[in-house]
Amino acid sequence: MELTLPKKLNASQPITLETKGLVVIGVNGAGKSSFGKCLLDQYGSLAKKISGIHALFINNNVEEPISEEENEFSRLQSMITERLFMPRLSEYEKLILHLQSEEFEAAVNYKEACKVNPDLLPPVTKIDRIQSIWEKIFPHNRLVRKSGFIELASGSRDSDSYKAERMSDGEKLVFYLIGAVLCTPLNSLLIIEEPETLLHNSIKNLLWDEIEAMRPDCTYVYLTHDIDFAASRPDSKRIWIRSYDADTRIWDYELIESNESFPEEVYMEILGSRKPILFIEGTDTNSIDSRLYPLIFPDYMVKPMGGCQKVIETTKAFGQLKDFHNLESKGIVDRDRRTQGEITYLREQHIFVPNVAEVENLLMLEEVIKTVAHRLMKDPENVFNQVKENVIKLFEKDLESQVILHAKHLVRKKLETTVDRKITTVEQLAEHVEGIQQNIHVQDIYTNIKNEFSLYVETGDYKNILRVYNQKGMLPQSRLCNICGISNKESYLNLIISILKENKEDADAIRSAIKESLGI
């Protein structure tokens, strides 16, 4: 369907989309409902609004024309009469009555048709189709039809049934949504308000997949603030509404385009927060990165993206879209033996690299150790000096393996930059490879790194040791926990987290030390 969207801010021409689905997403109050109402008015009889949550309850706010002569007393009298003699029904109850009426009519017609053709198969009614999908959504329950009403039973065939009025709101909602869509005219434009409401995550996507497959002729417009649901409609277009001016009836919205570097669901989640964004490594919410950085940068939305390359790609992609979202974005990646040239390049892309080899090393910064020691009523200088001495000894013991690690990385980077991409023949390639050794002096690289690391040991350069020492077991092996009287590394991290959450003077000291390590 070619869908003409409501008026967009700063757009000279109406915007049209050729699509069978549109997801309209935005925060509460952004103007999604007004957007849907505009489409309803625009498409008239072709459009139908479906609101599951409103359908379950009687709407007492129905607007009815009132003559100027009608006084408050007569209005009240009319309302009482209506409630007593013509009680209102919810949309859900109206649907049940409509379906039962159709079921009865189909049964009568079938009975009459069988008099002429006894072998005639029974018709498939709307309730049959609803039942098929409903029982797929709730596989442990089944719908039982009896004369004049519908009952609900558990999955076992010999179980007792009970009236459908005792369904949970979620079960009623699923029944209503399937039935409401099924009863719409051919090729309808369906405005679905909050399609995820009252639905568990495990069923909401399956339900709408089934409904869309049941009525492929319809065009679906979903009004939602649920990021996961919005991302679950892969064949739909998506727009993000920033705001709505009710006086001019103009919306500020943008079409969200996906790319490999920046998945739509991530984009929508970030837009919904309206905070500046900080992309970090890791996926586990219990990782040190995920637990530490949100407290170091409380004004940012911290989003783990997996590996370092994903952080780099996403930060760049988000920065390129700044004209749309107007949000500040940064990234943090582990040092991973990067050269100063690499770090400088990343910083130009607003991607920061801590001045420590591992994220665990942030917990070993001098100011962090001293702050924790002071909190535990230990002598900060004494605690730090003991830890520093132990770390230097550990580094000296692992010196050779650390030198090799750094030398391998540097050689690898030099190989990447040395290979000539303009080579066109195998002879040129063979000649080039033979010449690489002349350009990469492995022994010199090894010697220089070893001399540098040995100097750190000799001078007790604790800060630089943290910068180059890739050893995840350094914190427990340094005996920091024992010296502070803490049981283990997890308890030490939890104490730092609790200090940061207090947001007092000690938190400022830890936060400043970690930000300084990041060069911020």
Side-chain angles (χ1 to χ4, degrees):
M1 178 179 185
E2 186 175 81
L3 195 61
T4 302
L5 302 184
K7 289 184 67 175
K8 179 183 181 298
L9 183 68
N10 298 327
S12 57
Q13 298 292 330
I15 295 175
T16 59
L17 296 175
E18 184 63 41
T19 183
K20 295 295 288 182
L22 175 67
V23 178
V24 181
I25 191 163
V27 297
N28 291 333
K32 299 188 298 298
S33 295
S34 299
F35 191 95
K37 187 176 185 305
C38 182
L39 287 174
L40 283 169
D41 295 341
Q42 184 175 315
Y43 283 88
S45 60
L46 287 176
K48 178 177 174 58
K49 177 183 174 182
I50 296 177
S51 175
I53 189 63
H54 293 151
L56 299 185
F57 308 103
I58 296 173
N59 183 4
N60 292 322
N61 298 318
V62 178
E63 296 181 4
E64 298 173 347
I66 301 172
S67 65
E68 293 181 5
E69 295 81 11
E70 184 178 10
N71 59 36
E72 192 61 30
F73 177 76
S74 61
R75 175 189 173 93
L76 180 61
Q77 193 175 45
S78 174
M79 288 173 63
I80 292 172
T81 302
E82 180 183 302
R83 295 297 189 274
L84 288 175
F85 301 106
M86 291 184 297
R88 287 181 179 173
L89 299 175
S90 69
E91 291 299 314
Y92 171 73
E93 291 166 328
K94 290 178 185 177
L95 176 69
I96 293 288
L97 290 175
H98 172 76
L99 292 171
Q100 288 175 333
S101 174
E102 184 195 70
E103 186 85 354
F104 176 75
E105 184 179 350
V108 171
N109 291 338
Y110 175 62
K111 180 181 177 181
E112 292 300 315
C114 283
K115 293 177 180 178
V116 179
N117 182 5
D119 298 326
L120 192 67
L121 293 174
V124 177
T125 65
K126 287 188 174 69
I127 290 184
D128 288 321
R129 299 179 68 184
I130 295 171
Q131 182 174 6
S132 174
I133 297 177
W134 193 94
E135 291 180 354
K136 188 179 293 187
I137 301 299
F138 302 108
H140 300 296
N141 289 335
R142 60 189 176 89
L143 295 176
V144 180
R145 278 171 283 174
K146 295 190 176 180
S147 177
F149 52 85
I150 300 171
E151 293 190 353
L152 185 70
S154 66
S156 58
R157 291 290 154 185
D158 57 351
S159 61
D160 294 332
S161 61
Y162 56 87
K163 289 186 178 180
E165 283 78 2
R166 289 174 55 193
M167 285 185 190
S168 70
D169 284 343
E171 290 171 327
K172 288 180 181 178
L173 182 65
V174 169
F175 188 99
Y176 172 78
L177 291 172
I178 302 168
V181 173
L182 193 56
C183 291
T184 57
L186 196 66
N187 300 318
S188 292
L189 172 64
L190 304 180
I191 313 298
I192 317 293
E193 190 167 34
E194 298 187 11
E196 75 287 346
T197 302
L198 293 182
L199 299 178
H200 191 272
N201 287 341
S202 62
I203 67 172
K204 63 184 178 184
N205 295 340
L206 172 61
L207 171 64
W208 287 105
D209 288 345
E210 291 288 338
I211 289 176
E212 288 182 15
M214 174 187 72
R215 290 297 305 271
D217 57 295
C218 292
T219 298
Y220 298 82
V221 176
Y222 298 103
L223 312 177
T224 182
H225 55 258
D226 187 310
I227 304 300
D228 292 334
F229 177 78
S232 75
R233 306 292 95 199
D235 297 326
S236 296
K237 301 288 186 181
R238 296 169 181 80
I239 66 169
W240 178 270
I241 294 184
R242 293 196 194 96
S243 61
Y244 169 56
D245 187 331
D247 294 330
T248 60
R249 289 176 60 83
I250 294 176
W251 286 260
D252 183 8
Y253 62 84
E254 292 288 346
L255 187 68
I256 296 176
E257 300 286 356
S258 183
N259 59 60
E260 292 181 0
S261 300
F262 208 97
E264 287 175 342
E265 57 268 30
V266 175
Y267 202 3
M268 291 184 286
E269 180 181 350
I270 292 164
L271 288 172
S273 77
R274 303 310 297 167
K275 280 185 171 184
I277 179 72
L278 177 65
F279 298 106
I280 63 170
E281 293 188 44
T283 54
D284 184 2
T285 54
N286 289 320
S287 67
I288 293 177
D289 312 62
S290 299
R291 296 173 65 186
L292 189 64
Y293 285 134
L295 297 170
I296 301 301
F297 301 96
D299 296 330
Y300 281 73
M301 177 188 175
V302 178
K303 180 68 178 175
M305 294 303 300
C308 66
Q309 194 56 39
K310 195 65 179 176
V311 173
I312 293 169
E313 291 173 359
T314 308
T315 306
K316 287 181 180 179
F318 195 76
Q320 291 166 359
L321 296 169
K322 191 170 184 179
D323 289 343
F324 170 29
H325 53 66
N326 295 318
L327 295 176
E328 181 186 357
S329 59
K330 291 183 171 66
I332 296 177
V333 294
D334 291 345
R335 195 172 189 89
D336 291 335
R337 296 171 292 278
R338 301 179 194 277
T339 64
Q340 189 55 49
E342 294 174 83
I343 293 170
T344 300
Y345 168 76
L346 289 173
R347 192 178 183 86
E348 290 170 355
Q349 310 299 317
H350 305 290
I351 300 163
F352 296 87
V353 179
N355 203 30
V356 293
E358 305 270 1
V359 68
E360 288 88 345
N361 292 14
L362 292 172
L363 308 178
M364 303 287 291
L365 292 170
E366 180 176 354
E367 192 58 39
V368 175
I369 292 174
K370 287 182 176 179
T371 301
V372 172
H374 179 266
R375 172 60 67 95
L376 295 171
M377 302 181 70
K378 304 283 184 179
D379 182 343
E381 290 294 335
N382 182 44
V383 169
F384 174 69
N385 287 334
Q386 289 186 64
V387 172
K388 175 181 175 180
E389 183 179 346
N390 291 338
V391 168
I392 292 171
K393 288 179 179 177
L394 287 170
F395 182 62
E396 185 176 20
K397 180 169 70 84
D398 291 339
L399 187 68
E400 184 65 23
S401 62
Q402 290 295 313
V403 170
I404 293 296
L405 275 175
H406 284 261
K408 280 169 60 179
H409 178 80
L410 193 54
V411 168
R412 187 182 301 114
K413 296 305 296 183
K414 285 184 176 293
L415 283 171
E416 289 174 3
T417 56
T418 300
V419 173
D420 187 352
R421 297 179 181 269
K422 296 180 182 179
I423 293 172
T424 57
T425 67
V426 68
E427 290 79 16
Q428 289 176 335
L429 179 60
E431 182 181 352
H432 186 73
V433 170
E434 290 173 3
I436 284 177
Q437 191 171 0
Q438 299 175 6
N439 298 318
I440 300 178
H441 306 288
V442 175
Q443 187 60 48
D444 290 346
I445 291 171
Y446 168 83
T447 302
N448 290 338
I449 294 174
K450 186 167 186 178
N451 290 340
E452 179 187 346
F453 287 8
S454 298
L455 184 62
Y456 297 158
V457 173
E458 293 170 14
T459 59
D461 192 341
Y462 180 79
K463 192 172 182 179
N464 270 321
I465 289 175
L466 289 187
R467 180 177 61 83
V468 300
Y469 194 10
N470 289 101
Q471 171 57 274
K472 292 186 183 297
M474 178 172 58
L475 194 155
Q477 291 181 46
S478 70
R479 300 191 70 252
L480 169 58
C481 296
N482 301 57
I483 297 167
C484 287
I486 300 174
S487 57
N488 53 38
K489 172 181 169 181
E490 184 64 20
S491 299
Y492 178 72
L493 174 59
N494 286 338
L495 179 54
I496 291 174
I497 297 296
S498 65
I499 292 172
L500 288 168
K501 286 180 177 179
E502 288 175 5
N503 209 25
K504 296 180 180 178
E505 187 176 340
D506 286 347
D508 291 338
I510 292 174
R511 198 172 283 122
S512 297
I514 292 176
K515 284 185 175 182
E516 181 184 349
S517 177
L518 287 161
I520 300 174

